[in-house]
Amino acid sequence: MKSLLIVILNVIALVVTPAVVQAQQSLMPDPAAFERDHFNKRCGGEVSFGEGFATEQDINNDGLKDVVINEGEITCKGEKGPDCTDEGCPRNFYLQVAEGGYFMVATARIYGYDFIQRFGNMVLVMKMHPHFCDRTDTEPCEITVRVRGTKFVTISKK
């Protein structure tokens, strides 16, 4: 009976493991080129990218340059920031890994962000729609996050 249970568990592991491996993101060599290609296809070639479209900076304090894509700097078929709303524009955050390549760690709809040093670490202070801070006023919400490894950790909201 015990050996039958072990065989069943091994079969389950063989079936589940490939699905888990396929669910992992593959690394990309250049996130800005990937995003440009995506919007070129989406906009039928009628697309332009502003100067602030791709920003290289180390957002997780590991010494490697990461990439932040600002979709507000895209003009698609004459429309600037086609996915921007009153809640802000999407920003895609890509982390670089030591083995080479990047993967997307987060997407946030924000008005903008500052990258500042707090207590020896660089943190993102994201300006967002007030409802992200559970408010109904019109003053932008400021959420301060530190990127630890591959996770965004909220330090404060105001």
Side-chain angles (χ1 to χ4, degrees):
M1 185 67 179
K2 184 177 177 181
S3 61
L4 178 61
L5 180 62
I6 291 172
V7 170
I8 291 172
L9 290 175
N10 284 334
V11 169
I12 290 171
L14 288 172
V15 171
V16 172
T17 301
V20 170
V21 169
Q22 287 179 347
Q24 292 178 347
Q25 259 189 72
S26 59
L27 296 177
M28 64 183 68
D30 184 353
F34 171 80
E35 295 268 357
R36 281 187 183 97
D37 184 52
H38 167 75
F39 281 99
N40 249 324
K41 289 176 185 169
R42 176 178 163 185
C43 302
E46 294 181 49
V47 64
S48 63
F49 303 93
E51 192 175 308
F53 168 68
T55 303
E56 289 186 2
Q57 59 191 152
D58 178 16
I59 63 171
N60 64 343
N61 299 293
D62 66 355
L64 300 172
K65 290 286 186 186
D66 306 307
V67 176
V68 180
I69 301 295
N70 178 358
E71 292 188 21
E73 291 289 322
I74 298 168
T75 303
C76 178
K77 297 181 181 177
E79 179 185 1
K80 184 155 173 70
D83 294 329
C84 296
T85 67
D86 65 336
E87 292 185 359
C89 295
R91 304 281 171 102
N92 301 323
F93 296 86
Y94 291 88
L95 295 181
Q96 184 178 17
V97 295
E99 299 80 26
Y102 298 81
F103 69 97
M104 183 189 286
V105 68
T107 297
R109 186 173 298 278
I110 60 178
Y111 300 137
Y113 70 91
D114 292 317
F115 196 57
I116 62 172
Q117 188 166 10
R118 287 234 175 110
F119 307 113
N121 290 304
M122 298 303 287
V123 297
L124 296 164
V125 180
M126 299 185 289
K127 293 164 190 69
M128 305 176 83
H129 191 277
H131 79 79
F132 288 109
C133 287
D134 300 320
R135 296 192 337 245
T136 57
D137 61 351
T138 58
E139 193 66 30
C141 166
E142 286 188 1
I143 298 179
T144 303
V145 298
R146 177 168 188 245
V147 185
R148 288 192 175 193
T150 61
K151 302 220 186 301
F152 276 51
V153 179
T154 301
I155 297 171
S156 67
K157 288 183 179 184
K158 60 179 175 175

